[in-house]
Amino acid sequence: MSYSLCKSEIVLGRVGEESYPNIVQIISKLPIPLGTYISIPFEAYDISTGNRKSHCAVGVVSVTSYKKIISTTPTFIASISTSIGIDDENLRYAPSKARIFADIINDYVETPTVPPPPDSEIYLAPSHILTRIFGSIKPSSIRIGHLLGRSDVEISVDVNALSKHLFITGTTGSGKSNTVAILADRIASIGGTILIFDVHGEYGNLEPQSPGVEVQKIDYKLNPLKIPTRMLTRMIIPEAGASRQRALASKAFEISKKVVDGLINNFGTGQELVNVIRNGKLNEILASNVGLKQYLSVLNLGSISMVDYENRSVDDILLELFTNIVVEVLKREKEEREAALKAISKIEEFFGTVSVSFTSPDVIDYLRPSSIIVLNVSELSDEQKDYSLKSILDELLSYARQKLLSGNPHPILVFIEEAHLFLSVSRQTISRSSIERVAREGRKFGLSLAIISQRPRNIDPNTVSQVQNFVFMKLVQEADQQAIMNISDMLTDDIATSLASLNTGEAIVLGEWIGKFPAYVKIDRHVGKRTGSTLDMVAIWSGMKLRKDMYTKLAASSEEAYKEFSSLL
């Protein structure tokens, strides 16, 4: 590559007294902003051929500062300026450092091996060079934004590389949920199937931005028939010393699940099932059903009272029947009556507060091409979210495996919001094993994870070590910066420190999905993402105050008119 192609019209400074193949010191008159891309044309002696080669080093400013040439006090600097006629501006300079990530030699982009000479001129990198490095677009690529400060240099990522998973992190308000929305929408636009495990209900108003993309919003409810009995029992009776209660409850749940499931299989989930339950002929149905009559010896459904069938949903009626059967079985326990009564109390309390559905489809029934499934679990407790995530991931992994083995693979990308709740470094969670299993095995079957958290220091590094693609947004805490350096060996100390200076929507993107070189990126704005952003509290309060003042004036004027009318009468 010729010298002229490595230059631009803007000279930023010169290489300082220290220069290495991967990092150079910059001396300039004014500070250079973090994330500025630079180019350095220079020649170097090739010891293998004895010839001089033209190089074009390309890097990004990762450290910037502003200093005085002489340490002075305001009084001293004033006296110097007066006596020798030197402006204060001329006694300042801006030392910076740039991380060199590429060296273009003979039109080939290579890893830097030769340091640029001191005093070499440093230019604002030309757009055509940056496009050459970052603008490689494959059929499997999607655009996510543009290079920071360079709107003419598009940044695309390879979706196929997400088989090795993705980690998105940044402080609250840094733009994580917008990044998720952009990725989900654009992957769905090329036929992808996306599931968002929405912990706080942030994506409830998500609308598709790309044509042909479908967004399905589901308020997730627990289905006791679909949750493994051991998991359901542990969810309701978590205490370590309550093993006997769990054993008794497990037995009761097994019976109730088989009875209710049998009724649904025979009569569906419509009015016919409601009529069967209302008519009180459940014992007769059990006796006539080969698979269910064995439970007549431990269960008398005729003794279960069901009331108020009018204006109730099928789910409500089935939940009452389900819990009544469990209670009936536990009440028949003679030898461990105290444990049974304690289990009954916990079961009734649990089902009295949690959202339950026996009739909603399975998650896998929503999986379609060009579709984003928003699974809203915000109404569940943290513990219930934990159990639900495990159940969903286990179901998805089984589905993905079966689809692959049948010769009809169906790749799925699962975004897990607030991942530190489920991959805590300080406590064990029920879903951790399922997340780790998908991280290890999912890529073989087409099931990929995108883990999102604002607290990388609280996430177990063993799981995230399986991840090979990253979006690092604004991180201020040193502990968080150190945590992501431990996660990604591509992240250097100076670049990690620069994360504190990023603005909303800006990120460092690195990993296999973007190629060999990390990029400072301005993520595109998803116009269909209307929640999850920071509220303008003052504007909201001002609007509320304005409405209150209007109502007060209206009420006062109405009262005055009423009094005047009364006096006339």
Side-chain angles (χ1 to χ4, degrees):
M1 174 174 284
S2 67
Y3 257 44
S4 61
L5 293 177
C6 192
K7 296 179 180 180
S8 69
E9 296 179 356
I10 302 174
V11 179
L12 299 176
R14 292 182 176 272
V15 176
E17 61 183 14
E18 287 188 324
S19 177
Y20 302 91
N22 62 340
I23 193 165
V24 298
Q25 184 186 56
I26 304 174
I27 302 298
S28 58
K29 185 176 181 180
L30 297 174
I32 305 173
L34 289 173
T36 300
Y37 284 85
I38 57 106
S39 60
I40 310 172
F42 67 97
E43 288 190 346
Y45 180 70
D46 185 349
I47 60 174
S48 64
T49 64
N51 299 322
R52 295 184 69 80
K53 279 187 177 180
S54 294
H55 294 254
C56 180
V58 183
V60 62
V61 174
S62 57
V63 177
T64 189
S65 62
Y66 207 11
K67 293 184 177 182
K68 288 184 177 180
I69 296 175
I70 307 172
S71 297
T72 59
T73 64
T75 303
F76 180 65
I77 194 66
S79 64
I80 286 184
S81 299
T82 303
S83 60
I84 63 177
I86 299 178
D87 254 348
D88 186 27
E89 286 292 327
N90 292 324
L91 292 173
R92 300 175 185 172
Y93 75 109
S96 309
K97 287 185 179 180
R99 179 67 55 176
I100 305 299
F101 55 80
D103 189 4
I104 304 177
I105 307 170
N106 294 330
D107 217 31
Y108 290 98
V109 180
E110 300 182 6
T111 302
T113 58
V114 179
D119 294 325
S120 299
E121 285 192 321
I122 297 176
Y123 297 86
L124 184 69
S127 295
H128 68 87
I129 286 181
L130 297 176
T131 301
R132 169 87 179 276
I133 293 173
F134 295 110
S136 176
I137 299 177
K138 304 177 182 178
S140 56
S141 296
I142 58 166
R143 173 190 161 116
I144 62 168
H146 61 78
L147 212 57
L148 192 59
R150 310 295 291 271
S151 59
D152 57 334
V153 182
E154 290 190 3
I155 297 296
S156 297
V157 293
D158 183 5
V159 176
N160 279 337
L162 291 179
S163 61
K164 296 184 180 179
H165 315 298
L166 170 65
F167 180 43
I168 302 173
T169 187
T171 59
T172 300
S174 60
K176 296 186 300 300
S177 60
N178 176 74
T179 302
V180 170
I182 280 290
L183 288 171
D185 187 271
R186 292 185 180 169
I187 294 173
S189 73
I190 58 174
T193 301
I194 309 295
L195 188 145
I196 300 175
F197 192 77
D198 188 5
V199 170
H200 294 312
E202 289 185 65
Y203 301 89
N205 289 326
L206 180 67
E207 296 297 335
Q209 181 173 279
S210 300
V213 172
E214 174 191 19
V215 177
Q216 304 176 75
K217 299 160 189 173
I218 306 166
D219 290 326
Y220 185 73
K221 297 181 180 181
L222 300 177
N223 186 342
L225 303 182
K226 302 294 184 182
I227 301 173
T229 299
R230 183 178 179 183
M231 188 188 300
L232 180 63
T233 307
R234 178 70 67 172
M235 192 187 303
I236 299 171
I237 310 173
E239 297 85 2
S243 57
R244 289 311 305 157
Q245 295 177 39
R246 281 193 293 273
L248 295 172
S250 292
K251 176 184 175 183
F253 279 135
E254 281 293 328
I255 293 173
S256 185
K257 287 169 76 171
K258 289 177 179 176
V259 171
V260 174
D261 195 43
L263 291 173
I264 291 174
N265 288 336
N266 280 276
F267 302 102
T269 55
Q271 190 60 42
E272 185 180 4
L273 177 62
V274 174
N275 292 337
V276 167
I277 298 173
R278 176 189 292 166
N279 294 336
K281 296 183 178 181
L282 293 176
N283 277 339
E284 297 177 20
I285 292 169
L286 289 188
S288 62
N289 190 295
V290 175
L292 299 178
K293 65 180 181 181
Q294 59 180 309
Y295 300 115
L296 281 173
S297 59
V298 293
L299 184 63
N300 178 17
L301 293 181
S303 66
I304 294 177
S305 61
M306 300 281 292
V307 296
D308 189 19
Y309 289 94
E310 300 301 325
N311 300 319
R312 295 182 65 191
S313 69
V314 174
D315 276 326
D316 284 344
I317 295 171
L318 285 174
L319 176 59
E320 185 176 351
L321 175 63
F322 182 83
T323 52
N324 283 347
I325 292 174
V326 172
V327 170
E328 171 71 15
V329 173
L330 287 171
K331 282 182 176 179
R332 288 169 173 258
E333 177 60 44
K334 304 297 183 184
E335 297 181 0
E336 297 182 271
R337 184 165 181 78
E338 183 179 352
L341 292 175
K342 288 181 179 179
I344 288 172
S345 175
K346 294 173 183 178
I347 290 167
E348 290 180 335
E349 180 182 0
F350 177 84
F351 285 114
T353 57
V354 72
S355 296
V356 171
S357 175
F358 293 84
T359 60
S360 59
D362 291 338
V363 170
I364 60 174
D365 294 332
Y366 293 96
L367 302 178
R368 292 195 284 271
S370 297
S371 180
I372 303 171
I373 302 103
V374 177
L375 210 57
N376 178 18
V377 296
S378 59
E379 295 299 316
L380 304 181
S381 68
D382 285 351
E383 188 176 58
Q384 292 163 6
K385 292 169 187 172
D386 187 22
Y387 281 96
S388 298
L389 179 58
K390 175 179 176 57
S391 178
I392 290 165
L393 289 179
D394 289 347
E395 187 177 10
L396 288 175
L397 185 59
S398 175
Y399 168 83
R401 182 187 291 110
Q402 291 172 7
K403 295 293 284 184
L404 180 69
L405 295 177
S406 67
N408 186 28
H410 186 172
I412 304 162
L413 176 60
V414 181
F415 287 89
I416 303 175
E417 280 280 1
E418 304 293 338
H420 51 273
L421 296 176
F422 315 109
L423 292 171
S424 172
V425 73
S426 59
R427 62 184 179 86
Q428 189 63 37
T429 60
I430 192 68
S431 61
R432 182 199 297 267
S433 61
S434 296
I435 298 173
E436 291 176 344
R437 187 179 181 191
V438 173
R440 288 193 312 269
E441 305 175 11
R443 69 185 186 90
K444 296 183 293 186
F445 307 110
L447 182 60
S448 301
L449 295 177
I451 299 170
I452 305 106
S453 174
Q454 70 265 30
R455 302 176 189 171
R457 67 184 182 274
N458 292 342
I459 287 188
D460 178 25
N462 294 324
T463 304
V464 189
S465 65
Q466 303 286 333
V467 176
Q468 299 297 319
N469 305 288
F470 305 94
V471 176
F472 296 132
M473 310 193 85
K474 184 182 182 72
L475 285 173
V476 177
Q477 296 294 325
E478 185 178 344
D480 287 328
Q481 295 171 3
Q482 187 61 49
I484 62 172
M485 287 179 63
N486 294 335
I487 291 169
S488 172
D489 55 6
M490 298 177 66
L491 200 64
T492 57
D493 181 69
D494 52 327
I495 293 181
T497 303
S498 72
L499 290 169
S501 301
L502 294 181
N503 296 311
T504 299
E506 298 174 354
I508 296 175
V509 180
L510 65 161
E512 291 188 17
W513 68 333
I514 197 170
K516 295 191 296 183
F517 312 114
Y520 284 79
V521 180
K522 177 65 176 178
I523 306 294
D524 287 341
R525 182 70 179 164
H526 190 286
V527 296
K529 175 72 171 60
R530 298 194 297 272
T531 58
S533 57
T534 303
L535 294 177
D536 186 344
M537 298 181 352
V538 173
I540 295 172
W541 284 335
S542 297
M544 295 170 67
K545 181 178 181 299
L546 179 62
R547 289 192 294 272
K548 177 186 173 184
D549 292 345
M550 289 176 59
Y551 295 151
T552 302
K553 289 179 181 179
L554 181 61
S557 61
S558 298
E559 184 177 356
E560 188 176 327
Y562 174 76
K563 288 180 179 179
E564 185 176 346
F565 182 69
S566 298
S567 64
L568 288 174
L569 291 176

mmCIF file of all heavy atoms in Angstrom, residues 428-443:
data_model
loop_
_atom_site.group_PDB
_atom_site.id
_atom_site.type_symbol
_atom_site.label_atom_id
_atom_site.label_comp_id
_atom_site.label_asym_id
_atom_site.label_seq_id
_atom_site.Cartn_x
_atom_site.Cartn_y
_atom_site.Cartn_z
ATOM 1 N N GLN A 428 -25.525 -20.619 44.661
ATOM 2 C CA GLN A 428 -25.934 -21.627 43.689
ATOM 3 C C GLN A 428 -27.373 -21.375 43.258
ATOM 4 O O GLN A 428 -28.219 -20.996 44.075
ATOM 5 C CB GLN A 428 -25.803 -23.021 44.299
ATOM 6 C CG GLN A 428 -25.991 -24.163 43.320
ATOM 7 C CD GLN A 428 -24.933 -24.188 42.225
ATOM 8 O OE1 GLN A 428 -23.780 -23.880 42.472
ATOM 9 N NE2 GLN A 428 -25.332 -24.541 41.015
ATOM 10 N N THR A 429 -27.659 -21.566 41.980
ATOM 11 C CA THR A 429 -29.022 -21.432 41.466
ATOM 12 C C THR A 429 -29.406 -22.709 40.727
ATOM 13 O O THR A 429 -28.542 -23.452 40.246
ATOM 14 C CB THR A 429 -29.143 -20.238 40.505
ATOM 15 O OG1 THR A 429 -28.252 -20.438 39.396
ATOM 16 C CG2 THR A 429 -28.781 -18.937 41.205
ATOM 17 N N ILE A 430 -30.695 -22.935 40.618
ATOM 18 C CA ILE A 430 -31.183 -24.165 40.000
ATOM 19 C C ILE A 430 -30.963 -24.147 38.491
ATOM 20 O O ILE A 430 -30.770 -25.186 37.861
ATOM 21 C CB ILE A 430 -32.683 -24.381 40.327
ATOM 22 C CG1 ILE A 430 -33.126 -25.792 39.945
ATOM 23 C CG2 ILE A 430 -33.538 -23.338 39.660
ATOM 24 C CD1 ILE A 430 -32.533 -26.877 40.784
ATOM 25 N N SER A 431 -30.961 -22.944 37.883
ATOM 26 C CA SER A 431 -30.837 -22.863 36.418
ATOM 27 C C SER A 431 -29.390 -22.883 35.943
ATOM 28 O O SER A 431 -29.138 -23.050 34.746
ATOM 29 C CB SER A 431 -31.519 -21.591 35.901
ATOM 30 O OG SER A 431 -30.902 -20.444 36.441
ATOM 31 N N ARG A 432 -28.429 -22.711 36.856
ATOM 32 C CA ARG A 432 -27.025 -22.629 36.444
ATOM 33 C C ARG A 432 -26.587 -23.850 35.639
ATOM 34 O O ARG A 432 -25.932 -23.731 34.593
ATOM 35 C CB ARG A 432 -26.115 -22.483 37.663
ATOM 36 C CG ARG A 432 -24.638 -22.347 37.293
ATOM 37 C CD ARG A 432 -23.750 -22.679 38.496
ATOM 38 N NE ARG A 432 -23.973 -21.751 39.567
ATOM 39 C CZ ARG A 432 -23.260 -20.635 39.753
ATOM 40 N NH1 ARG A 432 -22.285 -20.340 38.917
ATOM 41 N NH2 ARG A 432 -23.511 -19.835 40.759
ATOM 42 N N SER A 433 -26.951 -25.037 36.112
ATOM 43 C CA SER A 433 -26.523 -26.263 35.428
ATOM 44 C C SER A 433 -27.068 -26.320 34.000
ATOM 45 O O SER A 433 -26.386 -26.773 33.072
ATOM 46 C CB SER A 433 -26.953 -27.496 36.215
ATOM 47 O OG SER A 433 -28.363 -27.553 36.338
ATOM 48 N N SER A 434 -28.304 -25.841 33.808
ATOM 49 C CA SER A 434 -28.905 -25.852 32.468
ATOM 50 C C SER A 434 -28.238 -24.827 31.559
ATOM 51 O O SER A 434 -28.004 -25.090 30.368
ATOM 52 C CB SER A 434 -30.409 -25.577 32.566
ATOM 53 O OG SER A 434 -31.055 -26.610 33.272
ATOM 54 N N ILE A 435 -27.918 -23.638 32.109
ATOM 55 C CA ILE A 435 -27.219 -22.620 31.319
ATOM 56 C C ILE A 435 -25.845 -23.134 30.908
ATOM 57 O O ILE A 435 -25.429 -22.998 29.744
ATOM 58 C CB ILE A 435 -27.090 -21.310 32.123
ATOM 59 C CG1 ILE A 435 -28.466 -20.729 32.454
ATOM 60 C CG2 ILE A 435 -26.276 -20.281 31.334
ATOM 61 C CD1 ILE A 435 -28.425 -19.538 33.391
ATOM 62 N N GLU A 436 -25.129 -23.731 31.859
ATOM 63 C CA GLU A 436 -23.795 -24.258 31.566
ATOM 64 C C GLU A 436 -23.863 -25.382 30.528
ATOM 65 O O GLU A 436 -22.991 -25.484 29.655
ATOM 66 C CB GLU A 436 -23.146 -24.759 32.855
ATOM 67 C CG GLU A 436 -22.780 -23.638 33.823
ATOM 68 C CD GLU A 436 -22.229 -24.155 35.130
ATOM 69 O OE1 GLU A 436 -22.404 -25.375 35.411
ATOM 70 O OE2 GLU A 436 -21.626 -23.375 35.886
ATOM 71 N N ARG A 437 -24.894 -26.187 30.614
ATOM 72 C CA ARG A 437 -25.034 -27.290 29.659
ATOM 73 C C ARG A 437 -25.270 -26.761 28.250
ATOM 74 O O ARG A 437 -24.676 -27.247 27.279
ATOM 75 C CB ARG A 437 -26.177 -28.205 30.089
ATOM 76 C CG ARG A 437 -26.282 -29.472 29.243
ATOM 77 C CD ARG A 437 -27.407 -30.330 29.732
ATOM 78 N NE ARG A 437 -27.509 -31.557 28.963
ATOM 79 C CZ ARG A 437 -28.536 -32.397 29.028
ATOM 80 N NH1 ARG A 437 -29.538 -32.144 29.847
ATOM 81 N NH2 ARG A 437 -28.561 -33.484 28.297
ATOM 82 N N VAL A 438 -26.128 -25.744 28.125
ATOM 83 C CA VAL A 438 -26.365 -25.150 26.809
ATOM 84 C C VAL A 438 -25.094 -24.471 26.300
ATOM 85 O O VAL A 438 -24.770 -24.550 25.111
ATOM 86 C CB VAL A 438 -27.534 -24.143 26.872
ATOM 87 C CG1 VAL A 438 -27.668 -23.396 25.548
ATOM 88 C CG2 VAL A 438 -28.844 -24.854 27.201
ATOM 89 N N ALA A 439 -24.352 -23.821 27.212
ATOM 90 C CA ALA A 439 -23.110 -23.157 26.809
ATOM 91 C C ALA A 439 -22.098 -24.175 26.277
ATOM 92 O O ALA A 439 -21.355 -23.887 25.335
ATOM 93 C CB ALA A 439 -22.523 -22.390 27.989
ATOM 94 N N ARG A 440 -22.082 -25.390 26.871
ATOM 95 C CA ARG A 440 -21.139 -26.422 26.443
ATOM 96 C C ARG A 440 -21.616 -27.159 25.199
ATOM 97 O O ARG A 440 -20.835 -27.417 24.274
ATOM 98 C CB ARG A 440 -20.931 -27.448 27.569
ATOM 99 C CG ARG A 440 -20.135 -26.981 28.753
ATOM 100 C CD ARG A 440 -19.742 -28.172 29.615
ATOM 101 N NE ARG A 440 -20.866 -29.058 29.883
ATOM 102 C CZ ARG A 440 -21.678 -28.963 30.932
ATOM 103 N NH1 ARG A 440 -21.488 -27.993 31.806
ATOM 104 N NH2 ARG A 440 -22.681 -29.805 31.095
ATOM 105 N N GLU A 441 -22.899 -27.521 25.176
ATOM 106 C CA GLU A 441 -23.395 -28.453 24.163
ATOM 107 C C GLU A 441 -24.305 -27.811 23.111
ATOM 108 O O GLU A 441 -24.553 -28.402 22.062
ATOM 109 C CB GLU A 441 -24.174 -29.583 24.845
ATOM 110 C CG GLU A 441 -23.390 -30.332 25.916
ATOM 111 C CD GLU A 441 -24.252 -31.362 26.637
ATOM 112 O OE1 GLU A 441 -25.376 -31.631 26.152
ATOM 113 O OE2 GLU A 441 -23.821 -31.874 27.680
ATOM 114 N N GLY A 442 -24.831 -26.622 23.421
ATOM 115 C CA GLY A 442 -25.876 -26.043 22.560
ATOM 116 C C GLY A 442 -25.471 -25.843 21.123
ATOM 117 O O GLY A 442 -26.283 -26.035 20.208
ATOM 118 N N ARG A 443 -24.204 -25.449 20.885
ATOM 119 C CA ARG A 443 -23.800 -25.142 19.506
ATOM 120 C C ARG A 443 -23.885 -26.357 18.587
ATOM 121 O O ARG A 443 -24.069 -26.214 17.382
ATOM 122 C CB ARG A 443 -22.396 -24.551 19.487
ATOM 123 C CG ARG A 443 -21.288 -25.501 19.838
ATOM 124 C CD ARG A 443 -19.945 -24.783 19.904
ATOM 125 N NE ARG A 443 -18.827 -25.703 20.096
ATOM 126 C CZ ARG A 443 -18.155 -26.255 19.115
ATOM 127 N NH1 ARG A 443 -18.498 -26.019 17.861
ATOM 128 N NH2 ARG A 443 -17.146 -27.065 19.358
#
